[in-house]
Amino acid sequence: MTFFTFAQHLKKIEAVSARLEITRLLSQLFSELKIKEIPPAIYLSLGRLVPQYQSLEFQLSTKMILRALTKHLAHHPDIYGANGSMSNLFNETDESLYEERVNKLYKQTGDIGETTEQLLSLGDKEGLKPDLLEVYEQLVQIAKEGGTGSQERKIAGLIDLFEKLDSNSLRFIVRIIVGKLRLGFSTMTVLDALSWTKHNDKSESGKLEELFQKKADLGLLAQVYLDPQHNLKAVQKLYQISEGIPVMPALCQRLNSAEEIIAKMPKVIVEPKYDGLRIQIHLGKDKNSKKWVRSFTRNLEETSQMFPELNQALTKLDCVSCILDGEVVGVDKKTGKIVAFQETSTRRRKHGIAAKAEELPVRFYLFDVLEKNGQSLIDTPLSERKTILKQIVKADTDVFTTAPFIVTSDPEELHDYHTKQLALGLEGAVIKKHDSVYKSGRKGWRWVKIKEEEGTSGKLSDTLDCIVMGYYGGRGKRAAFGVGAFLVGLLGDDGKIYTLAKIGTGLTDEQFKELKKRLNKHEVKVKPKVYKVHKNLIPDGWIEPSFVVEIAADELTRSPVHSAGKALRFPRLVKFRDDKTWQEATTLKEMETIKIG
Ligand code: ATP
């Protein structure tokens, strides 16, 4: 497929918003791709170069793209000059003549894709049709440029693409580069579209989701699945859990009492609920039999570099290869005690890692094993997995330790254990069905949490993880922060985001500053398609669905202005949930399960 054709498909997808329509259009695209084009096409259509668990960023800002555009226009005065005639060739190669035009158009549109397309459309001509894979390779090359002079080399690479491609293709390319493709679909729609490509319906979406959860690489899965020689059975055989590619983590449901829990899942394993960062540790061997260790967050982000302590796994864990699930927490060097979440999260960083590791060491509390020596264990009962885990982590050390647990069928014992954990300063308990298989996500009654409300005597039994949708300018002291309040919401069943609260009090100066940093990064000019917002709540600035904040509130009340139909009473910010994507925020449905006492 040519990149031109690929971008024509993206254009069609961009123009629609109904999920079914997007599914159909995606499946049309998939059916026209050659097998080897499938992974790149999937990553690109999701605005990336590589699967989610890998990171390959362009490190090229909007400003740099505007600069590249200016240079390119100045290079072709015959096309882009004031009157586009050859007579002006000599006095129109001065870049400053184009800079204003480029910047002005960007200010007007607020969208780098639109700006690029509008500016470059004059240069469109027949024959600008390089191959999808060729362009993909060139983009990878641009992203990989590093070191001295790399910005200039990146710009040169981009200008080369300006020469080779049509303006519609470039509209999407520059958006991918700045990380703002936003075609309005996600993993589930891609899975639906895959099933659709083969069967004209979503009949295999569920099975595909299960496969994706075992090994979260959409491009790879699509490639195996769309191979005409593979039926579903063959795909299920071929597409197996493997070290180096994360498994989608299991998450908790909520239940409100020990009695309810024991009634639903009679025999349980109960562990402390640590308030740290979820971590999945992969131990494997490369082609030369050299061992490696990697780690991932619950959002599939690789964090191996952040935790030099992980290297101890190479000698301390007893296995050839394995995938372990756990929580990482910071440990106070003096007292040996676990530190609060906020402190642990200072270990999530790109710079100054060694010094920070020295100042705040971490401990990995391991609670599950999903694979050992090439054998998948996700269908093995939890009780057996616990034994295998213990064999891998032979002796607990300061760095690697198995999470303690009790086995019980007694609500009273469960209740006492939970209360004891709270008294110890932990977040409570996680309760897991004794002989359950490992299942990603929140479906079924396998993992459950009882969580005390956070610092409030109100009526909500848990905090809510909300999506930030917009902000309002501040007055007085807040004017200095550039934000006085912000609007948050939750995801509905229909994929739309509904407002639930406007929050303007209870933030420390530090939190306001933190908030502003994130707002700056994600502000967009127009209201995102998926937002449902009442006219009385229109904010001063829109924020694309991006970051998540944990909000505590006293209760839920009915609301005529909030599109969720409910509003939070006395909402306040607990923390930024950078470990969650907006798709993982609390849903409107889940909100209903957060009991109002
Ligand atoms: P919360 O806001 O309560 O942390 P959450 O929405 O992040 O909840 P849940 O599914 O409710 O996620 O809770 C599971 C999280 O709890 C895990 O992702 C993990 O980070 C953490 N956790 C701490 N201790 C355990 C444990 N023993 N077993 C499983 N998860 C644990």
Side-chain angles (χ1 to χ4, degrees), residues 249-254 271-279 298 325-327 365 367 403-404 427 429-430 432 442 447 449 451 454 462-463 465 550 575 577 579-580 584 586 590:
L251 298 171
C252 297
Q253 302 255 45
R254 291 184 183 86
E271 299 161 0
K273 187 167 196 294
Y274 301 100
D275 197 7
L277 304 166
R278 182 74 174 271
I279 193 161
R298 54 182 276 177
D325 196 359
E327 186 90 345
Y365 281 98
F367 46 71
E427 257 200 320
V430 180
K432 300 174 181 174
R442 271 182 227 277
W447 286 24
K449 64 178 174 180
K451 217 174 72 166
E454 319 227 8
D462 200 355
T463 53
D465 293 327
E550 184 173 345
K575 63 191 175 210
R577 289 297 307 252
D579 55 329
K580 277 195 172 180
E584 290 175 298
T586 311
E590 278 176 77

Side-chain angles (χ1 to χ4, degrees), residues 162-220:
F162 289 166
E163 300 283 355
K164 282 184 187 161
L165 287 165
D166 62 293
S167 57
N168 179 58
S169 296
L170 291 163
R171 168 195 185 87
F172 295 108
I173 283 187
V174 293
R175 280 196 186 157
I176 293 172
I177 290 179
V178 297
K180 292 197 169 162
L181 184 65
R182 285 191 244 114
L183 288 177
F185 64 87
S186 58
T187 304
M188 261 329 283
T189 315
V190 174
L191 295 175
D192 285 348
L194 288 174
S195 170
W196 207 283
T197 312
K198 281 200 158 175
H199 304 288
N200 251 321
D201 61 33
K202 297 193 235 167
S203 55
E204 288 184 351
S205 299
K207 294 278 181 240
L208 284 167
E209 187 184 7
E210 277 173 23
L211 288 168
F212 174 72
Q213 288 175 333
K214 271 204 240 179
K215 178 152 89 169
D217 188 330
L218 210 48
L220 214 57

Side-chain angles (χ1 to χ4, degrees), residues 79-92:
I79 305 172
Y80 305 110
N83 52 19
S85 76
M86 296 295 279
S87 60
N88 278 338
L89 263 184
F90 297 106
N91 52 11
E92 290 198 4

Side-chain angles (χ1 to χ4, degrees), residues 14 108-111 114 175 180 182 469-470 522-531 533 538-545:
E14 190 189 14
Q108 255 174 31
T109 62
D111 174 355
E114 193 65 41
R175 280 196 186 157
K180 292 197 169 162
R182 285 191 244 114
M469 304 169 71
H522 298 290
E523 180 159 2
V524 287
K525 286 233 161 157
V526 283
K527 180 171 85 72
K529 272 195 230 166
V530 291
Y531 285 1
V533 181
I538 302 293
D540 295 329
W542 292 107
I543 301 301
E544 63 180 331

Side-chain angles (χ1 to χ4, degrees), residues 203-300:
S203 55
E204 288 184 351
S205 299
K207 294 278 181 240
L208 284 167
E209 187 184 7
E210 277 173 23
L211 288 168
F212 174 72
Q213 288 175 333
K214 271 204 240 179
K215 178 152 89 169
D217 188 330
L218 210 48
L220 214 57
L221 175 58
Q223 194 175 34
V224 178
Y225 180 73
L226 291 179
D227 189 322
Q229 292 178 355
H230 298 155
N231 60 15
L232 184 63
K233 266 222 162 83
V235 179
Q236 284 168 327
K237 230 181 184 163
L238 283 166
Y239 195 78
Q240 288 296 332
I241 190 166
S242 65
E243 314 97 42
I245 304 182
V247 179
M248 295 298 286
L251 298 171
C252 297
Q253 302 255 45
R254 291 184 183 86
L255 282 175
N256 286 299
S257 71
E259 284 76 20
E260 234 177 296
I261 291 173
I262 296 299
K264 271 224 153 59
M265 33 202 272
K267 188 170 176 192
V268 293
I269 286 178
V270 195
E271 299 161 0
K273 187 167 196 294
Y274 301 100
D275 197 7
L277 304 166
R278 182 74 174 271
I279 193 161
Q280 195 174 97
I281 299 174
H282 291 227
L283 197 76
K285 268 186 176 176
D286 65 14
K287 276 185 242 135
N288 307 318
S289 291
K290 195 166 177 292
K291 271 192 175 180
W292 52 257
V293 59
R294 276 181 218 153
S295 70
F296 302 93
T297 64
R298 54 182 276 177
N299 292 334
L300 314 183

